[in-house]
Amino acid sequence: MATASRTRDLDKLLLRPGHLVGPNFEPGPELRDDLGEYARVLVIGAGGLGCELLKDLALSGFKNLDVIDMDRIEVTNLNRQFLFRLEDVGKPKAEVAAKRVMERVSGVNIVPHFCRIEEKELEFYSDFGIIVLGLDSVEARSYINAVACSFLEYDSDDNPREETMKPMVDGGTEGFKGHARVILPGFTPCFECTIWLFPPQVKFPLCTLAETPRTAAHCIEYAHLIKWDEVHSGKAFDPDDPEHMQWVYTAAVKRAELFGIPGVTYSLTQGVVKNIIPAIASTNAIISAACAMETLKIASGCSKTLSNYLTYNGVEGLHIKVTEFVRDKECLVCGPGVLVELESSITLRKFINILEEHPNLLLSKASVTYKGTNLYMQAPPVLEEMTRSNLDLPLFDLMGKVSKDIVHVTGVSCKGDRKTSSLKKLRVAFKGVVGVVDMDTAGGA
Amino acid sequence: MAEPKVKYDRQLRIWGEQGQAVLEKASLCLLNCGPTGSETLKNLVLGGIGSITVVDGSKVEVGDLGNNFMVDESSIGQSKAKCVCSFLQELNDAVKAKFVEESPPKLIESNPSFFSQFTLVVATQLAEDSMIKLDKICREANVMLIFARSYGLTGFVRISLKEHTVIESKPDHFVDDLRLNNPWPELRRFVENIDLTVADPVEHKHIPYVVILIKMAEEWFKLHNGQLPSTREEKKEFKELLKSRMVSLDEDNYKEAIDASFKLFAPRGISQDVRQIINDSSVELHSNSSDFWVMVAALKEFVSNEGGGEAPLEGSIPDMTSSTEHYVNLQKIYQAKAEADFHSVEQRTRSLLKKIGRNSTSISKQTIKSFCRNARKLKISRYRPIEEEFKSPNLSELQKYLTDEDYSVAVGFYILLRAVDRFAFNYNSYPGEFDGAMDEDISRLKMMAYGILSDLGCNGQTLTEDLISEMCRFGAAELHAVAAFIGGVAAQEAIKLITKQFVPMCGSFIFNGIDHRSQLLML
């Protein structure tokens, strides 16, 4: 009898034909069983969103989940990260979160990864059908976005090949506000196409801090950015060291008194120095639930998908808006890639130099991978040594003498004054290799 | 630092220690602890709500394990209320958690006075008749009420109480209260003592924009019969005038003045919103008037007396390029005026209290101060009794929604959510709840939905076959992710109602889990 089944409610959605569903929806018990058996979902982050996501996905028919997070549990997490208890403080988030969900939802397997996202190889990410992001930083989103987009292949007409597309679902919250979005690389805008949605944080000018402080935050940043270095020559400031924080607070209070500025508190000091984003359980619950629903829809086709960006704002009333953003066809990350045309004699060393000067890349200290193989790695030293001998070989030979292919490079890119580590996709084409070069690239830049 | 302060740090940054204290005093009752109810409570228990009472008469079944995180294998056959309650207690031992093993509709019927002990009732997965009864009980007892329901890929959240007044509405964007177009004597005197033509370039670029704008406005008045720039051309001309006084291109204070000149152009006096509030009939005080309305009555007197048409000054100024000295002095001038305005409002409040036979000190200084600081941002939300909405919804709005493409799915779900209750009343099961009778259920549900619309005098044709079929496909399923979404929204609104901070939603929130074009319907 249907009511005696654990999937009583989910079956309504997965076993019955529908009218407002995805184009590939094939309802039936097989769909439900395949979802449990074959669908692999990676959750990035086991924090406020991650805890919710793991629970929501485990109760949405997914049985193979992985979660990656480099952080350990802190007391300030406990007001919203409901899988953690006071006695868990100090333990890795990914491990505790995975264990707690598996304890309560039988049949679900969650593999935790207690490490940085950058520590995983590309192959690790390629194993998952869908990547769900529960992050609080623009940099981490950008990185995962680049990884997922790097799997996308384009045909000779620059059309994306759907079978190589790695969908992402991304959530983010701040206080009573949040967003959830679906990224189908090559089909809907990727994180980088709409990077302007995340404007860079405004920093106070140093001269204001040093000469004309007006607010409590100015006094705190003076103590944190200027006074600390003056007094503690060479000792790095550690925001997680309570003694360091106390020192900054005391110094800020003194400065505020000197200028007659009110409002310096310990709590504000922490907020300014650590750039604390306020966070509550309910907003995380809303955003994660929307992300989990979309993940289920992408995997099963059981309903239409969000197209493609949802914002939630609960400050004044309740505002939920869906915006359909458009792709940036020139996007360096999800686009067909930057075409780099080379002579077949060019060595890997020369190639790395070319990347540094390439106007669309300006990428220095590049590490190069081809089809998952490290051609040259700048770090760690062991890998550098192992791959160093490749530097003087022609790239053409290292790539198995194909006329053109995708190469992944990571390095430091400069945007104005900001240096960020970035991963780029290149379409390398060799000139004068007879008969194999496609028309579209042969005529390229 | 004390443990709870660290634990709640990330939310204290939103609603402050005062909001937290109110939350920790609140007692909440949950009706039905399926995933929608359980998830709502989870969010509130984590935040440290004072006490919870979970009411549910059912036992845990295998099917519950698939959608409710708060029950597990060991719960099967046990009271659902008990199991959910013990999991919730595990989340936060500071919360007092109780459960009552009884069916909510029966409790509503048999023991209406049960509900008067709570601050707020969250009623989930209730059918229409129970909702109507509970709404009456809670209104009578002055208990706040939130309805929440998940149903397949749809659901709703609806607040119900007579009136909710907010002092600290904390809007994201609000124009600063600088009185540039109406400076009081002290501010004018301060401005007069600063020379815009000072020769020292460092001094020149550290004159705060408040001073620049007030001075330039005076210059403008002389040429324009005391009138502020009003037309687009005049405003542009004024900005050009500002630009012409820059001595170098890197003067941030002048750039800020140009950007902030709209604050100068704004009309004097109170806004439409504030006017509407002070003209509300509730300012006619009686002995049972709430503190809020007593203070609004005092505000009304203030505006037409000491205020000279303005609300009390807020007293804080935004950061702006300035020397420290000018900025700190300017801050003091604004604070002094705000303090003086507060004293006037306080006096008026105290004498009004006396007049209506109440203790003149029954409203704290702190409350009056906060009221004055937020006088321009006061918010009032009123909610129709649910029965009124069901029986006579706002027809012009309903007609509008039915024909508006952005609203058609949401309003369709609204009607269908009511239709499924009628269906269940007539056939003892929800449409599509069991496999096998789908086609029949679809046509029956369609009849019900058309019936509801035609009773209201609307045309049923606007409901699409697709949506009706989808509703039957849902078969009253309570999907975990949908429940988590609805529970998140319900908890968010509960926090706003309890802390009396921010602005709760108005109308019925209809969740659309198909393409996420959810809507608020004002019926």
Side-chain angles (χ1 to χ4, degrees):
Chain A
M1 204 176 116
T3 46
S5 159
R6 183 185 280 272
T7 51
R8 174 190 69 194
D9 294 69
L10 207 52
D11 280 354
K12 303 272 192 327
L13 217 56
L14 297 178
L15 271 53
R16 297 173 167 183
H19 290 250
L20 302 167
V21 295
N24 304 320
F25 182 50
E26 287 177 25
E30 301 76 24
L31 175 64
R32 174 193 62 204
D33 298 343
D34 287 355
L35 199 67
E37 201 164 341
Y38 302 114
R40 290 196 60 196
V41 176
L42 173 65
V43 175
I44 316 240
L49 291 165
C51 284
E52 286 283 334
L53 284 167
L54 289 172
K55 165 191 65 104
D56 293 347
L57 293 168
L59 291 173
S60 296
F62 294 98
K63 293 187 172 169
N64 296 297
L65 302 170
D66 282 48
V67 58
I68 178 166
D69 197 309
M70 59 183 254
D71 286 335
R72 291 174 184 275
I73 297 160
E74 292 177 33
V75 177
T76 55
N77 301 149
L78 301 179
N79 80 323
R80 60 196 187 283
Q81 299 174 19
F82 73 101
L83 295 172
F84 309 142
R85 309 283 173 265
L86 194 56
E87 59 269 25
D88 299 323
V89 169
K91 294 179 194 163
K93 286 185 176 181
E95 289 170 13
V96 177
K99 185 173 141 257
R100 287 277 144 73
V101 174
M102 284 195 289
E103 277 168 9
R104 295 200 71 83
V105 187
S106 65
V108 171
N109 186 41
I110 305 178
V111 183
H113 304 270
F114 172 45
C115 63
R116 302 176 63 85
I117 49 176
E118 297 90 345
E119 282 171 46
K120 293 286 182 190
E121 303 279 330
L122 273 180
E123 290 94 280
F124 169 78
Y125 293 103
S126 75
D127 281 350
F128 298 96
I130 303 171
I131 301 177
V132 189
L133 291 75
L135 291 162
D136 59 3
S137 102
V138 174
E139 289 75 21
R141 280 196 186 91
S142 227
Y143 183 85
I144 294 295
N145 179 69
V147 168
C149 291
S150 72
F151 300 120
L152 183 68
E153 289 174 16
Y154 280 83
D155 65 18
S156 54
D157 296 325
D158 274 4
N159 291 317
R161 290 186 211 274
E162 201 173 340
E163 65 277 14
T164 63
M165 188 260 292
K166 180 86 64 198
M168 281 175 282
V169 182
D170 172 51
T173 70
E174 178 174 351
F176 282 165
K177 288 179 273 188
H179 78 262
R181 70 191 295 187
V182 171
I183 298 176
L184 308 174
F187 298 88
T188 68
C190 81
F191 184 70
E192 222 63 44
C193 292
T194 54
I195 191 74
W196 49 270
L197 287 165
F198 294 83
Q201 222 203 322
V202 187
K203 292 250 187 275
F204 302 122
L206 282 177
C207 60
T208 296
L209 302 185
E211 286 155 29
T212 58
R214 299 175 297 271
T215 66
H218 292 155
C219 299
I220 292 163
E221 282 296 61
Y222 171 81
H224 167 219
L225 299 172
I226 298 172
K227 193 77 182 170
W228 175 274
D229 288 336
E230 271 176 33
V231 176
H232 307 81
S233 54
K235 187 158 106 188
F237 173 79
D238 176 5
D240 292 321
D241 186 329
E243 277 178 35
H244 290 195
M245 194 60 80
Q246 186 64 41
W247 188 93
V248 167
Y249 166 63
T250 313
V253 168
K254 271 190 208 145
R255 186 158 177 88
E257 276 169 9
L258 184 68
F259 286 93
I261 297 168
V264 175
T265 62
Y266 188 78
S267 170
L268 182 70
T269 306
Q270 282 188 308
V272 170
V273 171
K274 295 170 103 173
N275 185 27
I276 292 175
I277 300 165
I280 51 172
S282 38
T283 314
N284 285 332
I286 294 166
I287 295 303
S288 303
C291 290
M293 260 179 259
E294 292 313 306
T295 309
L296 176 63
K297 292 182 198 171
I298 293 169
S300 69
C302 70
S303 190
K304 291 180 178 176
T305 49
L306 166 68
S307 182
N308 43 42
Y309 198 107
L310 173 148
T311 50
Y312 162 82
N313 187 341
V315 176
E316 277 190 270
L318 172 61
H319 301 275
I320 289 182
K321 214 176 107 192
V322 175
T323 311
E324 194 162 350
F325 286 112
V326 291
R327 282 185 71 204
D328 173 5
K329 292 269 190 283
E330 309 277 295
C331 180
L332 277 177
V333 181
C334 73
V338 178
L339 180 66
V340 182
E341 284 194 292
L342 302 169
E343 299 295 337
S344 54
S345 60
I346 295 285
T347 62
L348 181 56
R349 187 190 303 279
K350 177 76 182 149
F351 173 68
I352 291 170
N353 290 340
I354 288 171
L355 301 181
E356 205 159 340
E357 281 143 31
H358 195 291
N360 291 344
L361 291 166
L362 301 173
L363 194 77
S364 57
K365 296 208 181 76
S367 297
V368 185
T369 32
Y370 175 60
K371 292 199 160 162
T373 307
N374 297 324
L375 297 187
Y376 180 69
M377 298 298 282
Q378 302 272 357
V382 193
L383 271 182
E384 196 279 333
E385 207 183 311
M386 277 168 63
T387 53
R388 196 184 299 156
S389 59
N390 284 341
L391 283 174
D392 294 315
L393 299 175
L395 182 62
F396 183 60
D397 294 357
L398 289 167
M399 287 172 64
K401 304 198 182 201
V402 295
S403 62
K404 66 161 206 169
D405 211 340
I406 301 287
V407 166
H408 290 111
V409 293
T410 49
V412 180
S413 69
C414 301
K415 272 183 202 157
D417 291 340
R418 274 179 68 213
K419 287 188 171 184
T420 50
S421 98
S422 68
L423 171 73
K424 290 268 148 72
K425 178 172 60 174
L426 308 182
R427 280 198 323 195
V428 174
F430 295 101
K431 289 183 213 165
V433 178
V434 188
V436 211
V437 180
D438 289 323
M439 288 309 292
D440 62 323
T441 50
Chain B
M1 245 194 302
E3 191 70 45
K5 218 171 159 181
V6 183
K7 177 162 131 181
Y8 295 135
D9 179 83
R10 297 303 185 266
Q11 67 197 45
L12 289 172
R13 290 172 193 279
I14 302 177
W15 52 71
E17 284 175 39
Q18 215 186 331
Q20 185 66 29
V22 183
L23 200 61
E24 288 175 17
K25 278 198 207 89
S27 60
L28 190 139
C29 173
L30 172 70
L31 300 186
N32 286 322
C33 61
T36 309
S38 301
E39 291 295 319
T40 308
L41 274 205
K42 178 205 72 195
N43 300 324
L44 295 168
V45 165
L46 287 166
I49 191 150
S51 73
I52 55 164
T53 304
V54 180
V55 182
D56 194 312
S58 64
K59 307 275 189 223
V60 178
E61 296 171 19
V62 178
D64 298 327
L65 306 188
N67 72 3
N68 194 339
F69 194 74
M70 281 157 230
V71 295
D72 62 12
E73 255 95 21
S74 67
S75 324
I76 292 174
Q78 294 195 53
S79 152
K80 200 188 280 177
K82 181 182 159 214
C83 297
V84 166
C85 195
S86 81
F87 181 84
L88 289 168
Q89 185 70 81
E90 210 184 290
L91 294 181
N92 193 344
D93 55 15
V95 175
K96 289 187 214 74
K98 279 198 306 192
F99 70 92
V100 175
E101 202 181 341
E102 186 162 2
S103 131
K106 276 189 198 145
L107 187 67
I108 292 166
E109 203 69 59
S110 65
N111 192 5
S113 63
F114 172 81
F115 297 99
S116 57
Q117 60 184 303
F118 301 106
T119 314
L120 174 78
V121 175
V122 177
T124 69
Q125 310 298 96
L126 281 191
E128 202 167 302
D129 58 331
S130 295
M131 284 172 67
I132 291 171
K133 282 175 202 153
L134 181 64
D135 189 38
K136 281 183 186 155
I137 294 167
C138 289
R139 275 173 192 263
E140 191 67 30
N142 263 324
V143 172
M144 300 187 279
L145 175 60
I146 298 176
F147 293 112
R149 188 172 192 182
S150 308
Y151 195 104
L153 289 174
T154 184
F156 67 82
V157 180
R158 161 75 148 82
I159 293 172
S160 196
L161 66 151
K162 284 179 209 156
E163 178 182 276
H164 181 75
T165 55
V166 186
I167 296 171
E168 291 179 78
S169 63
K170 299 187 173 179
D172 267 343
H173 305 285
F174 211 84
V175 181
D176 311 292
D177 192 12
L178 295 174
R179 297 289 159 82
L180 300 175
N181 53 16
N182 199 4
W184 63 97
E186 288 80 8
L187 178 60
R188 199 168 280 153
R189 233 178 341 248
F190 175 79
V191 169
E192 270 164 21
N193 288 327
I194 295 173
D195 181 8
L196 281 192
T197 59
V198 62
D200 181 354
V202 176
E203 253 180 74
H204 192 261
K205 69 178 194 181
H206 284 97
I207 300 171
Y209 78 70
V210 165
V211 175
I212 298 172
L213 285 174
I214 293 175
K215 269 199 146 41
M216 296 304 288
E218 270 162 20
E219 203 176 311
W220 178 274
F221 287 151
K222 282 177 197 147
L223 298 167
H224 297 86
N225 289 327
Q227 297 296 309
L228 281 166
S230 61
T231 64
R232 187 192 292 248
E233 287 73 36
E234 283 177 334
K235 288 174 183 174
K236 205 173 152 199
E237 199 184 323
F238 184 81
K239 288 183 192 177
E240 289 301 326
L241 186 65
L242 285 172
K243 213 181 263 174
S244 71
R245 301 299 164 89
M246 291 169 87
V247 294
S248 75
L249 283 171
D250 70 336
E251 292 194 303
D252 288 334
N253 55 339
Y254 273 83
K255 287 182 206 158
E256 286 169 7
I258 292 166
D259 290 343
S261 55
F262 74 95
K263 298 178 191 174
L264 174 70
F265 306 150
R268 287 176 188 160
I270 55 172
S271 68
Q272 258 326 308
D273 288 354
V274 177
R275 186 168 306 283
Q276 206 179 338
I277 291 172
I278 61 174
N279 288 334
D280 193 286
S281 60
S282 299
V283 292
E284 304 300 331
L285 300 181
H286 49 83
S287 57
N288 291 325
S289 289
S290 70
D291 290 355
F292 179 86
W293 286 111
V294 174
M295 290 187 286
V296 172
L299 171 67
K300 185 174 189 171
E301 291 184 3
F302 175 88
V303 171
S304 46
N305 292 287
E306 304 89 56
E310 301 277 2
L313 187 77
E314 204 166 296
S316 57
I317 56 174
D319 186 28
M320 60 191 78
T321 299
S322 164
S323 65
T324 304
E325 196 195 349
H326 281 336
Y327 186 80
V328 170
N329 287 335
L330 208 49
Q331 246 178 348
K332 284 181 186 156
I333 289 167
Y334 275 85
Q335 270 163 9
K337 165 77 171 152
E339 190 69 16
D341 286 356
F342 152 69
H343 279 301
S344 307
V345 176
E346 188 190 14
Q347 295 264 298
R348 292 190 174 277
T349 306
R350 308 239 175 269
S351 53
L352 283 169
L353 280 167
K354 210 181 274 174
K355 216 167 166 185
I356 56 170
R358 299 246 291 269
N359 184 342
S360 67
T361 57
S362 63
I363 303 179
S364 75
K365 229 181 173 71
Q366 203 192 351
T367 304
I368 302 172
K369 202 163 234 175
S370 168
F371 181 87
C372 288
R373 214 170 18 238
N374 292 289
R376 297 181 311 140
K377 304 170 186 168
L378 305 173
K379 287 279 176 188
I380 296 154
S381 315
R382 293 182 173 128
Y383 302 89
R384 298 181 76 187
I386 198 95
E387 185 174 25
E388 241 178 59
E389 178 182 319
F390 285 158
K391 284 200 173 139
S392 56
N394 183 332
L395 270 187
S396 62
E397 286 295 300
L398 183 61
Q399 295 283 13
K400 197 186 86 190
Y401 296 143
L402 285 166
T403 50
D404 184 333
E405 206 188 319
D406 290 339
Y407 283 87
S408 61
V409 174
V411 75
F413 276 138
Y414 178 84
I415 298 296
L416 288 166
L417 281 163
R418 294 190 56 194
V420 295
D421 280 348
R422 285 202 188 178
F423 187 108
F425 184 80
N426 282 312
Y427 304 108
N428 281 318
S429 71
Y430 284 99
E433 191 175 347
F434 302 104
D435 295 324
M438 204 56 111
D439 290 341
E440 195 181 10
D441 283 3
I442 290 173
S443 54
R444 280 174 170 173
L445 180 63
K446 191 170 160 181
M447 293 296 292
M448 300 279 165
Y450 281 21
I452 290 172
L453 280 170
S454 72
D455 287 353
L456 297 170
C458 293
N459 185 352
Q461 302 305 318
T462 45
L463 281 184
T464 65
E465 298 279 336
D466 283 349
L467 206 63
I468 297 167
S469 304
E470 281 293 289
M471 201 67 179
C472 283
R473 174 185 174 221
F474 297 159
E478 202 174 346
L479 302 163
H480 180 78
V482 174
F485 192 102
I486 299 288
V489 172
Q492 194 88 298
E493 299 306 316
I495 287 166
K496 290 190 275 183
L497 289 177
I498 293 167
T499 60
K500 288 202 152 214
Q501 292 183 23
F502 304 95
V503 186
M505 66 180 204
C506 274
S508 292
F509 169 69
I510 303 296
F511 177 66
N512 170 356
I514 295 175
D515 60 10
H516 283 286
R517 294 184 192 266
S518 305
Q519 295 290 357
L520 281 164
L521 305 182
M522 304 295 180
L523 296 169

